[in-house]
Amino acid sequence: MTVKTPFGADSTASEVIEGIDLGGKRAIVTGANSGIGLETARVLADAGAEVMLAVRDVDAGIRAAEEIGGKVAIAHLDLSDQTSVRDFVAGWAGPLDILVNNAGISAPPLTRTPEGWELQFATNHLGHFTLTTGLHEALAMRPGARVVVLSSVANLRSPVVFDDINYLRREYDPMEAYGQSKTANALFAVGAAGRWAGDGIMVNAVMPGVIRTRIQRYFTEEGFQNLLDNTGRPAGKTIPQGAATSVLVATSPLLDGVTGRYFEDCNEAEPYPGTGPRRGYAPYAVDPELAMRLWYVSQEMLGT
């Protein structure tokens, strides 16, 4: 059954968390120094959670923590650097209730990590793969723990092209590569949900909406407006609206026991019908067999 809530595209993060007490809970938000990551961290902290800002720019993280107040800590995390991710995991102690995989990069020129991986796949998927699997035991300490994986309607642009993930033979297209990484994010949620249901861990993917933040720094104004127009929401969303679906999926009792799903505008999304405004997901982004294949390919790439 498709999950529906009283909230929608115009709801804000503060509205969806109203009345929820997160006292005693611990959360990590990646990319929490700006944009919807900062807003997500802020409302979680306002609801009483102890929040770790996992950020690449520590100085910006310090400023964000000062802005948020409350029980907020900062730690360095560069998702494109596997050593940094493993160091972050090694530094975490004790249980974890909420993990929001928010950070990402979108449509840069072709860039490769030292391992030879295409940067968007390396950052958006492989970095979060190592982070989340590394924190599995911490999440399993708290039955009912939740993982929120930020995907995107860009999943409609590309499946995971398993025979050339890193653009070694095909021509690089920045948005296609972004779409591949966002499909990988959605597939990770499906794969982790299947593996970890017995641990009481809920893992869901989220499309936050199109919001003007630093993630679009490689876009021209025309390119960004085209992105908005394609979604049928030419004004986009505000940052509080953009954080709402993440916060809902991370905290709402309306979603108790719900796992392995894809959410958009504070409700479970429907498959894209193939015409009209670009919304929802492609079937390949939630395919359990492809999720299993991606899991094993990711392990092989990471040597784990």
Side-chain angles (χ1 to χ4, degrees):
M1 182 179 295
T2 303
V3 177
K4 297 297 182 184
T5 78
F7 305 105
D10 295 325
S11 300
T12 67
S14 295
E15 289 169 349
V16 303
I17 205 172
E18 185 175 359
I20 297 175
D21 181 8
L22 298 181
K25 294 189 180 294
R26 306 175 78 202
I28 296 171
V29 182
T30 68
N33 60 296
S34 65
I36 61 174
L38 173 58
E39 178 68 3
T40 299
R42 183 187 70 78
V43 297
L44 295 178
D46 285 350
E50 175 187 326
V51 183
M52 172 70 78
L53 312 184
V55 297
R56 188 167 57 86
D57 184 338
V58 173
D59 289 338
I62 291 170
R63 293 191 293 272
E66 291 172 347
E67 178 181 337
I68 294 169
K71 299 176 181 177
V72 177
I74 307 131
H76 178 256
L77 176 65
D78 182 347
L79 288 160
S80 69
D81 180 347
Q82 286 288 315
T83 298
S84 173
V85 181
R86 290 191 294 268
D87 287 347
F88 180 92
V89 169
W92 181 265
L96 176 61
D97 299 275
I98 298 168
L99 172 61
V100 183
N101 290 341
N102 168 84
I105 185 170
S106 178
L110 178 59
T111 308
R112 300 192 188 281
T113 67
E115 297 90 349
W117 302 329
E118 188 275 318
L119 183 62
Q120 295 184 83
F121 192 84
T123 302
N124 299 344
H125 170 62
L126 291 175
H128 279 124
F129 183 94
T130 298
L131 176 70
T132 310
T133 56
L135 292 170
H136 170 254
E137 290 186 8
L139 291 160
M141 291 180 187
R142 292 283 176 87
R146 299 191 184 188
V147 179
V148 182
V149 185
L150 268 71
S151 182
S152 168
V153 71
N155 79 81
L156 299 175
R157 290 179 176 269
S158 178
V160 176
V161 181
F162 287 101
D163 64 354
D164 192 17
I165 285 174
N166 292 304
Y167 287 86
L168 299 177
R169 294 179 298 279
R170 54 187 171 135
E171 183 178 355
Y172 178 72
D173 179 289
M175 284 303 298
E176 180 188 77
Y178 180 64
Q180 174 180 246
S181 74
K182 294 290 101 179
T183 293
N185 289 148
L187 287 173
F188 174 80
V190 173
R195 284 169 171 77
W196 299 348
D199 299 316
I201 301 169
M202 291 168 280
V203 189
N204 291 290
V206 162
M207 159 58 174
V210 181
I211 309 100
R212 189 48 142 162
T213 65
R214 290 188 68 252
I215 196 171
Q216 291 99 16
R217 59 188 177 274
Y218 295 106
F219 285 64
T220 64
E221 286 299 324
E222 180 182 4
F224 182 69
Q225 190 58 52
N226 287 339
L227 187 65
L228 290 169
D229 292 341
N230 286 338
T231 65
R233 192 182 174 99
K237 285 188 178 185
T238 66
I239 286 174
Q241 290 169 341
T245 307
S246 295
V247 171
L248 178 92
V249 173
T251 66
S252 177
L254 297 171
L255 273 64
D256 284 348
V258 174
T259 191
R261 311 286 185 92
Y262 183 102
F263 287 82
E264 181 176 14
D265 294 340
C266 296
N267 287 279
E268 186 176 353
E270 302 283 353
Y272 179 57
T275 59
R278 295 173 71 82
R279 302 178 52 79
Y281 56 85
Y284 55 67
V286 295
D287 185 297
E289 292 187 4
L290 293 177
M292 182 180 299
R293 183 178 181 185
L294 177 65
W295 196 282
Y296 293 135
V297 167
S298 301
Q299 289 179 320
E300 183 178 11
M301 292 175 71
L302 293 163
T304 59

